[in-house]
Amino acid sequence: GVETDEWEAAHQYYLAANQGDAAGQTYLALCYENGRGVERDEREAVRLYRLAAKQGNSQSQFQLGAHYFVGAGVEKDEREAVRLYMLAAEKGHAQAQFHLGISYFVGAGVERDKREGVRLFRLASDQGHVKAQIFLGICYANGTGVAVNEREAARLFRIAAAVGDVAGGGYPCRWGEQGRG
């Protein structure tokens, strides 16, 4: 195998980022966020995500939104988080679609709209986002934001279980044990 050199990787991202490359800025931001090859620095990560997000990089738009949502390296601002999630979600970014769905579902940074949350969970689910599949399955199981559909709930739970994800507190397993779907 190839030995990884986190410092060298961060250095290469730094060179690309200084050339204005959005992908380089995004990867360097991830290095700063996680302390990989550089000292951990949330504010520098946010600065770099902001630069890449302004260039339309959907991963940076999502990451910057996540920072605003929780107030990491920036003042907490759920509305700004939602705005950034929307930009990334419009480009088909599954994580942004999922997080935007949660925002709509609970009314964080946007007016509560469970149907819109379900629509966004569906978009992310269709791209294979496992947590979106579980959330959407729970919505179908309980009739939250959508009509009850036990078959669709079971189908989504089976898909999520097939990749071994146990998020959702084992909900898919309990559903199957009850003989539903």
Side-chain angles (χ1 to χ4, degrees), residues 140-141 148-158 172 174-181:
Y140 276 114
V148 170
N149 184 333
E150 291 186 359
R151 278 196 180 172
E152 183 63 5
R155 183 186 75 81
L156 289 160
F157 293 153
R158 280 193 300 275
R174 289 194 307 271
W175 185 263
E177 289 167 2
Q178 295 170 1
R180 292 180 164 163

Side-chain angles (χ1 to χ4, degrees), residues 10 13-34 36 38-65 67 72-74:
Y13 297 144
Y14 173 83
L15 294 174
N18 278 348
Q19 296 290 318
D21 181 76
Q25 292 164 342
T26 301
Y27 288 123
L28 185 57
L30 286 165
C31 290
Y32 276 107
E33 182 176 348
N34 297 301
R36 307 292 299 256
V38 294
E39 191 170 321
R40 190 172 189 282
D41 185 341
E42 287 282 349
R43 290 185 190 273
E44 182 62 8
V46 166
R47 184 186 76 78
L48 289 160
Y49 285 138
R50 190 173 283 122
L51 290 173
K54 285 181 182 176
Q55 295 184 63
N57 182 286
S58 62
Q59 181 64 31
S60 277
Q61 289 167 336
F62 165 71
Q63 293 292 141
L64 186 57
H67 278 70
V74 68

Side-chain angles (χ1 to χ4, degrees), residues 96-114:
Q97 291 166 339
F98 174 68
H99 284 260
L100 185 57
I102 290 173
S103 295
Y104 271 103
F105 211 76
V106 301
V110 68
E111 188 173 326
R112 188 176 186 177
D113 184 343
K114 290 188 178 186

Side-chain angles (χ1 to χ4, degrees), residues 108-130:
V110 68
E111 188 173 326
R112 188 176 186 177
D113 184 343
K114 290 188 178 186
R115 288 179 193 246
E116 180 64 6
V118 167
R119 184 186 76 79
L120 289 156
F121 292 156
R122 188 175 294 113
L123 289 174
S125 173
D126 288 348
Q127 294 186 67
H129 192 284
V130 176

